[in-house]
Amino acid sequence: MSYRIQFAQLSNNVTTEQAKTILTTKLKLSDAKATQFLAGKLIFSPISQDKAIKQQKTFSALGIKVKIVNANKAQTQEPEHDVDQRILAALDYITTSIIRLEEKVDDLARLQQEQNGEIDLELENNNWGEELEFDETVESSNKPKNINWLFFALIAILLSLLGVIIAFPNLLPF
C-alpha cells in the first residue's frame, strides 16, 4: 500500500510564515507548493508506510505536524468540484479537437476535388447584382466516402477517450 503526507497543524512555537520559510528552505519547495501544503493539499508523491513515518518524524522535528493518509482513499475523496472541472476541461479539449478535425476533413475534401478537376466555379459565374440562391439540400456525394469514414473513426476514438476519462477520472492528470 502507498501513503501520503498531509498537513495537520503547526506546533505551538511555529507560525505560518515560519513554517512556509522552513518548507521553502529546508525542503526546497516553491512558495505556491508550500502554501498548498499548509492548506492541506496532498502535494507529495505516494510512498511506503516506513518512509511516511520517517517523514512524519522529520516534519515533527521542524515544528510541523502531519498526518499519514492512505493514497488510495485520498484519491477517492477528491472534491466533486475538481472532478467536474477536469471533466469539463476534457470535454472542451475534445470539442476543439473535433472542430479542428472537421476543418481538416473539409480541407482534404476540397483538395481532392481540386485534384480531380471538380472545382466549383459557380461563385465566379454569379453576377453580384443578382441574389445568390442556395440549395437547402446538401449533397453528400461531393465528399469522398473514405474521408467520411476517417472523420467518423476519429470522432469514435475521441468519444471513447471521453468515456474512459469519465469512468476513471484519476487515470489522466490535467
Side-chain angles (χ1 to χ4, degrees), residues 7-170:
F7 174 74
Q9 65 184 18
L10 296 173
S11 297
N12 293 338
N13 57 354
V14 178
T15 65
T16 305
E17 289 302 317
Q18 290 173 336
K20 198 176 204 182
T21 305
I22 290 170
L23 291 171
T24 56
T25 57
K26 297 205 181 210
L27 297 179
K28 307 226 186 298
L29 293 177
S30 66
D31 285 335
K33 289 287 186 184
T35 304
Q36 287 177 351
F37 178 73
L38 292 174
K41 302 263 184 185
L42 298 172
I43 63 167
F44 295 109
S45 301
I47 53 176
S48 67
Q49 186 176 12
D50 295 336
K51 288 182 181 180
I53 292 171
K54 288 177 185 177
Q55 285 186 1
Q56 186 179 32
K57 289 177 184 177
T58 304
F59 276 104
S60 180
L62 296 173
I64 302 170
K65 294 182 182 176
V66 295
K67 60 183 175 180
I68 300 173
V69 289
N70 189 342
N72 297 333
K73 289 182 182 177
Q75 289 176 352
T76 58
Q77 294 174 351
E78 185 176 359
E80 287 184 29
H81 178 65
D82 291 345
V83 172
D84 292 343
Q85 290 295 332
R86 290 174 53 188
I87 290 173
L88 288 175
L91 284 172
D92 185 42
Y93 177 76
I94 290 172
T95 303
T96 56
S97 297
I98 288 174
I99 291 170
R100 280 187 256 135
L101 286 173
E102 286 176 343
E103 292 171 354
K104 294 233 185 237
V105 167
D106 290 342
D107 290 342
L108 287 173
R110 191 176 325 112
L111 180 65
Q112 187 171 11
Q113 285 177 351
E114 289 174 2
Q115 288 176 350
N116 291 336
E118 299 174 1
I119 299 174
D120 190 13
L121 300 175
E122 184 176 320
L123 286 177
E124 293 177 8
N125 294 334
N126 282 338
N127 294 330
W128 290 106
E130 300 175 5
E131 289 187 31
L132 294 176
E133 295 180 16
F134 295 101
D135 291 336
E136 292 184 15
T137 59
V138 177
E139 296 181 25
S140 62
S141 63
N142 288 345
K143 292 185 179 179
K145 292 182 180 180
N146 61 351
I147 292 178
N148 286 339
W149 180 82
L150 175 68
F151 176 69
F152 289 120
L154 290 172
I155 288 177
I157 291 170
L158 289 173
L159 289 175
S160 63
L161 177 65
L162 175 63
V164 169
I165 289 172
I166 291 173
F168 305 102
N170 293 325

